[in-house]
Amino acid sequence: MVLKADSTSPTGLMNELNAIDAETLNRRTYVFTIIAGLFLPLGFFTGLLGINVGGMPGTENPFAFWMVTALCVLFGAGSVGWALAKRWL
């Protein structure tokens, strides 16, 4: 990072370094928020399907597990694709 010309005094230099640190922290927080936003719906969906109660749809179908897995993978890939299209990642 190139320091500005007005950072010749110790106070100016300290302000410039604080601004660089704040920018780095903001960038990391932004990425963490995007990643959490992508995985939160998947965690909710798998937790909902983890409830062991009778009468759940798909319990008799031998391919139900793979259909739900494919649905989760498609949702995750779609979420990442959407975030990339919005230039969030």
Side-chain angles (χ1 to χ4, degrees):
M1 173 81 42
V2 177
L3 298 177
K4 295 181 183 176
D6 64 343
S7 358
T8 55
S9 69
T11 305
L13 182 60
M14 189 63 153
N15 289 340
E16 188 70 25
L17 291 174
N18 284 339
I20 292 169
D21 284 343
E23 182 181 343
T24 303
L25 181 63
N26 285 340
R27 200 173 321 120
R28 288 179 182 164
T29 303
Y30 176 75
V31 170
F32 178 73
T33 302
I34 295 297
I35 291 172
L38 293 174
F39 284 104
L40 186 64
L42 291 173
F44 172 75
F45 187 64
T46 55
L48 181 66
L49 293 177
I51 300 172
N52 293 325
V53 295
M56 286 190 66
T59 55
E60 301 299 321
N61 187 350
F63 299 109
F65 171 77
W66 295 112
M67 288 189 283
V68 170
T69 302
L71 181 67
C72 287
V73 168
L74 287 174
F75 181 79
S79 297
V80 169
W82 182 62
L84 287 172
K86 291 278 197 177
R87 296 189 186 268
W88 290 347
L89 293 178

